[in-house]
mmCIF file of all heavy atoms in Angstrom:
data_model
loop_
_atom_site.group_PDB
_atom_site.id
_atom_site.type_symbol
_atom_site.label_atom_id
_atom_site.label_comp_id
_atom_site.label_asym_id
_atom_site.label_seq_id
_atom_site.Cartn_x
_atom_site.Cartn_y
_atom_site.Cartn_z
ATOM 1 N N SER Y 549 -24.305 -13.822 7.755
ATOM 2 C CA SER Y 549 -24.480 -13.039 9.014
ATOM 3 C C SER Y 549 -23.309 -13.334 9.934
ATOM 4 O O SER Y 549 -22.530 -14.311 9.719
ATOM 5 C CB SER Y 549 -25.806 -13.388 9.648
ATOM 6 O OG SER Y 549 -25.756 -14.705 10.118
ATOM 7 N N MET Y 550 -23.185 -12.576 10.968
ATOM 8 C CA MET Y 550 -22.152 -12.753 11.966
ATOM 9 C C MET Y 550 -22.326 -14.163 12.624
ATOM 10 O O MET Y 550 -21.357 -14.887 12.823
ATOM 11 C CB MET Y 550 -22.192 -11.683 13.045
ATOM 12 C CG MET Y 550 -21.126 -11.894 14.117
ATOM 13 S SD MET Y 550 -19.434 -11.897 13.557
ATOM 14 C CE MET Y 550 -19.154 -10.165 13.439
ATOM 15 N N ASP Y 551 -23.573 -14.526 12.938
ATOM 16 C CA ASP Y 551 -23.813 -15.884 13.540
ATOM 17 C C ASP Y 551 -23.413 -16.984 12.634
ATOM 18 O O ASP Y 551 -22.741 -17.925 13.043
ATOM 19 C CB ASP Y 551 -25.290 -16.007 13.915
ATOM 20 C CG ASP Y 551 -25.692 -15.105 15.108
ATOM 21 O OD1 ASP Y 551 -24.772 -14.711 15.879
ATOM 22 O OD2 ASP Y 551 -26.926 -14.796 15.205
ATOM 23 N N ALA Y 552 -23.780 -16.890 11.325
ATOM 24 C CA ALA Y 552 -23.427 -17.911 10.367
ATOM 25 C C ALA Y 552 -21.900 -17.963 10.223
ATOM 26 O O ALA Y 552 -21.308 -19.109 10.160
ATOM 27 C CB ALA Y 552 -24.081 -17.659 9.045
ATOM 28 N N PHE Y 553 -21.247 -16.815 10.171
ATOM 29 C CA PHE Y 553 -19.783 -16.791 10.039
ATOM 30 C C PHE Y 553 -19.179 -17.475 11.226
ATOM 31 O O PHE Y 553 -18.281 -18.313 11.059
ATOM 32 C CB PHE Y 553 -19.351 -15.296 9.939
ATOM 33 C CG PHE Y 553 -17.854 -15.190 9.815
ATOM 34 C CD1 PHE Y 553 -17.229 -15.324 8.580
ATOM 35 C CD2 PHE Y 553 -17.042 -14.876 10.894
ATOM 36 C CE1 PHE Y 553 -15.813 -15.191 8.462
ATOM 37 C CE2 PHE Y 553 -15.680 -14.754 10.803
ATOM 38 C CZ PHE Y 553 -15.073 -14.937 9.532
ATOM 39 N N LYS Y 554 -19.553 -17.120 12.446
ATOM 40 C CA LYS Y 554 -19.020 -17.770 13.641
ATOM 41 C C LYS Y 554 -19.265 -19.235 13.657
ATOM 42 O O LYS Y 554 -18.392 -20.008 14.099
ATOM 43 C CB LYS Y 554 -19.605 -17.104 14.889
ATOM 44 C CG LYS Y 554 -19.082 -15.707 15.180
ATOM 45 C CD LYS Y 554 -19.746 -15.098 16.426
ATOM 46 C CE LYS Y 554 -19.211 -13.785 16.763
ATOM 47 N NZ LYS Y 554 -19.861 -13.184 17.919
ATOM 48 N N ASP Y 555 -20.446 -19.687 13.229
ATOM 49 C CA ASP Y 555 -20.738 -21.114 13.216
ATOM 50 C C ASP Y 555 -19.901 -21.887 12.247
ATOM 51 O O ASP Y 555 -19.587 -23.031 12.445
ATOM 52 C CB ASP Y 555 -22.224 -21.371 12.917
ATOM 53 C CG ASP Y 555 -23.155 -20.923 14.053
ATOM 54 O OD1 ASP Y 555 -22.680 -20.740 15.205
ATOM 55 O OD2 ASP Y 555 -24.365 -20.783 13.789
ATOM 56 N N CYS Y 556 -19.574 -21.264 11.085
ATOM 57 C CA CYS Y 556 -18.936 -21.996 10.032
ATOM 58 C C CYS Y 556 -17.429 -21.793 9.918
ATOM 59 O O CYS Y 556 -16.721 -22.576 9.260
ATOM 60 C CB CYS Y 556 -19.559 -21.600 8.705
ATOM 61 S SG CYS Y 556 -21.302 -22.038 8.581
ATOM 62 N N ILE Y 557 -16.884 -20.793 10.508
ATOM 63 C CA ILE Y 557 -15.469 -20.427 10.275
ATOM 64 C C ILE Y 557 -14.503 -21.545 10.631
ATOM 65 O O ILE Y 557 -13.445 -21.659 9.981
ATOM 66 C CB ILE Y 557 -15.078 -19.072 11.008
ATOM 67 C CG1 ILE Y 557 -13.750 -18.569 10.451
ATOM 68 C CG2 ILE Y 557 -15.042 -19.269 12.481
ATOM 69 C CD1 ILE Y 557 -13.762 -18.209 8.993
ATOM 70 N N ALA Y 558 -14.783 -22.340 11.566
ATOM 71 C CA ALA Y 558 -13.878 -23.477 11.932
ATOM 72 C C ALA Y 558 -14.059 -24.726 11.061
ATOM 73 O O ALA Y 558 -13.276 -25.643 11.212
ATOM 74 C CB ALA Y 558 -14.133 -23.814 13.401
ATOM 75 N N ASN Y 559 -15.044 -24.745 10.179
ATOM 76 C CA ASN Y 559 -15.266 -25.921 9.343
ATOM 77 C C ASN Y 559 -14.148 -26.100 8.344
ATOM 78 O O ASN Y 559 -13.654 -25.120 7.733
ATOM 79 C CB ASN Y 559 -16.607 -25.774 8.578
ATOM 80 C CG ASN Y 559 -17.797 -25.852 9.508
ATOM 81 O OD1 ASN Y 559 -17.673 -26.193 10.689
ATOM 82 N ND2 ASN Y 559 -18.960 -25.516 9.035
ATOM 83 N N ILE Y 560 -13.785 -27.354 8.151
ATOM 84 C CA ILE Y 560 -12.751 -27.677 7.182
ATOM 85 C C ILE Y 560 -13.071 -29.097 6.613
ATOM 86 O O ILE Y 560 -13.512 -29.951 7.323
ATOM 87 C CB ILE Y 560 -11.335 -27.670 7.869
ATOM 88 C CG1 ILE Y 560 -10.218 -27.902 6.867
ATOM 89 C CG2 ILE Y 560 -11.251 -28.623 9.009
ATOM 90 C CD1 ILE Y 560 -8.846 -27.557 7.359
#
Side-chain angles (χ1 to χ4, degrees):
S549 67
M550 179 60 82
D551 290 338
F553 180 82
K554 286 180 179 178
D555 289 345
C556 297
I557 194 63
N559 291 350
I560 186 167

